[in-house]
Amino acid sequence: MADYDLVVRGGTVVTGADTFRADVGVVGGRVVALAENLQGKETLDAGGLLVLPGGVDTHCHIEQLEPNGTINEESFVTGSTACLAGGTTTIVTFASQFKGHPISHTLPEYRRRAREGAMVDYGFHQIITDPTEAVVRDEIPELVASGIRSLKVFLTYDPLHLDDAAYLRVLAAARRTGAFVTVHCENYEAIRWRQAALMADGKSTPKYHAWSRPRVVEREATHRAIALAELVDQPIQVFHVSCTEAAEEIARAQARGVKVWAETCPQYFVLQASDMDRPGLEGAKFMCSPSPRGPGDAELLWDQVRRGTIDVVSSDHSATSYEGNRGKRIAGENPPFTKIPNGVPGLTARLPLVFSLGVNGGRIDLNHFVRLIATNPAKLFGLYPRKGTIAPGSDADLVLWEAGKTVTITNGLMQHHIDYTPYEGMAVTGWPVATVKGGRVAMRDGKVQAEPGSGQYLPRGPYDMIRPRGALPDGFDASAFIV
Ligand code: DUC
Ligand code: ZN
Ligand code: ZN
């Protein structure tokens, strides 16, 4: 008799903690049993394969609305396709506030787009660019109550960046409402100053992107972001750590007991500043911020991953195409690097790159891999144990993983909307052969089958991990006052 809607049979289940042989029994889109010889109405053969929790990508820019009226090229449909092709089943994307406008100006439209397009489950971070009194008093509490429990701030980038006063207002608002804060850490004024000098010296090709924002620019902003969060007693996550100098700031704060977490991205394990020094505009394909670094940086980042300073690897998929008059060429055929959109695609490549370099490369073990790409982001963003693990009661989001399969990355395999991948031609070992989302097979042998709109919104309530630790300078809670 078939007791289960679906049984994933004969695989080796890997969670963030354990590795064991079991069938996975699914009923109603949830895992209900891990045992031997389960019988299902449908069976998915996982013999010889690893069975991992679906990837959780808590930093990706999908169909993001921009103040100039454009929309991020990757839609919820194409982005979900890329996710499923690469073994990711949950994303947290960015609703944006336009400077000078309330959050309510953009959020309902963004929700509509996600609801109609998403084929993976999704939550939102809210980007705050203008923390006016109405925003911090009324809108932030409202959006947190609606399940958007994380705010994103940029310490650089026009027109997104916040100065220290505005950043403090966001930290305080987060503390009052029980939200988490994620931070892009680079020094705005320092970058502008270097950019102006580089332009004055005629140094405008893509390789000078790296020169405009060296490690110290990231280290300084990381230190400041943490120090101000400490002043407010507000937990934060530092996004896309690119170098050990920034990670050391985080490690020092963690050692003091500060609630600061850190993420890095596969591009910082693979790409280098020298990739931007290619003929013509080719280097723009590798341009992201913080900048790819030097030849020795990736190994030092892996050290920080092994030490636990960095415990999440997200994609920061921020996709702009290369050909045509959009994306990287939006400012023309030969633009200065200051006018080239930053960002690289990475939704599909994230798991294969981290597995190949990490597990296959002998740098981390299997369970650590699962923690980096699924368990830890799910915990940090209040999605665990529904997401990020395989256990009775968790969503049946699973990846069947062929650990020994070697694949040469091509843009076609990425299945995103973007016309290039910075990893073209790179061989990786370890590849997803099937993705199950909510108990349904959504990808098999690279073929994605899912309905636009089938992804569910994931409202995120309060959870212990992001509660302030109660260490306020002089015991005075300045965030109790809207100033
Ligand atoms: N860096 C970001 O911070 N966001 C998007 C793209 C990028 O490179
Ligand atoms: Zn960023
Ligand atoms: Zn980003």
Side-chain angles (χ1 to χ4, degrees), residues 146-349:
S146 79
I148 302 178
R149 198 154 281 271
S150 42
L151 310 176
K152 159 81 186 283
V153 299
F154 290 86
L155 301 187
T156 191
Y157 275 142
D158 274 322
L160 304 168
H161 106 279
L162 300 188
D163 62 17
D164 289 354
Y167 174 47
L168 282 165
R169 285 169 70 80
V170 175
L171 290 169
R175 191 172 198 281
R176 282 193 299 275
T177 50
F180 191 42
V181 176
T182 62
V183 193
H184 177 122
C185 295
E186 288 184 293
N187 184 307
Y188 173 72
E189 297 295 351
I191 294 168
R192 276 161 45 104
W193 177 70
R194 298 240 336 155
Q195 284 178 339
L198 287 162
M199 290 302 139
D201 199 25
K203 293 182 163 55
S204 67
T205 57
K207 86 166 192 183
Y208 294 109
H209 174 72
W211 292 33
S212 75
R213 48 215 319 141
R215 295 174 189 81
V216 60
V217 162
E218 183 182 348
R219 168 164 65 79
E220 184 281 332
T222 303
H223 176 85
R224 183 161 36 96
I226 295 168
L228 297 183
E230 216 174 335
L231 183 68
V232 177
D233 187 23
Q234 168 57 41
I236 61 170
Q237 187 197 33
V238 177
F239 267 170
H240 43 50
V241 174
S242 76
C243 59
T244 203
E245 288 83 348
E248 279 164 5
E249 296 291 342
I250 294 158
R252 264 195 289 281
Q254 289 170 339
R256 289 198 296 278
V258 177
K259 292 181 93 166
V260 53
W261 288 268
E263 160 208 273
T264 191
C265 312
Q267 47 271 37
Y268 300 110
F269 294 139
V270 178
L271 306 183
Q272 294 187 17
S274 57
D275 287 315
M276 290 182 281
D277 189 15
R278 298 195 185 192
L281 203 61
E282 187 81 12
K285 290 181 175 175
F286 309 91
M287 190 185 277
C288 56
S289 291
S291 173
R293 304 295 182 192
D297 285 77
E299 221 46 71
L300 295 173
L301 266 190
W302 277 113
D303 287 344
Q304 296 288 0
V305 167
R306 267 192 301 272
R307 254 173 244 163
T309 313
I310 296 170
D311 67 351
V312 168
V313 182
S314 306
S315 70
D316 196 8
H317 178 90
S318 183
T320 56
S321 283
Y322 180 66
E323 301 290 354
N325 56 4
R326 57 194 168 144
K328 297 288 185 189
R329 290 176 211 261
I330 192 102
E333 265 307 301
N334 220 352
F337 72 85
T338 51
K339 295 209 159 40
I340 299 173
N342 288 191
V344 294
L347 291 172
T348 324

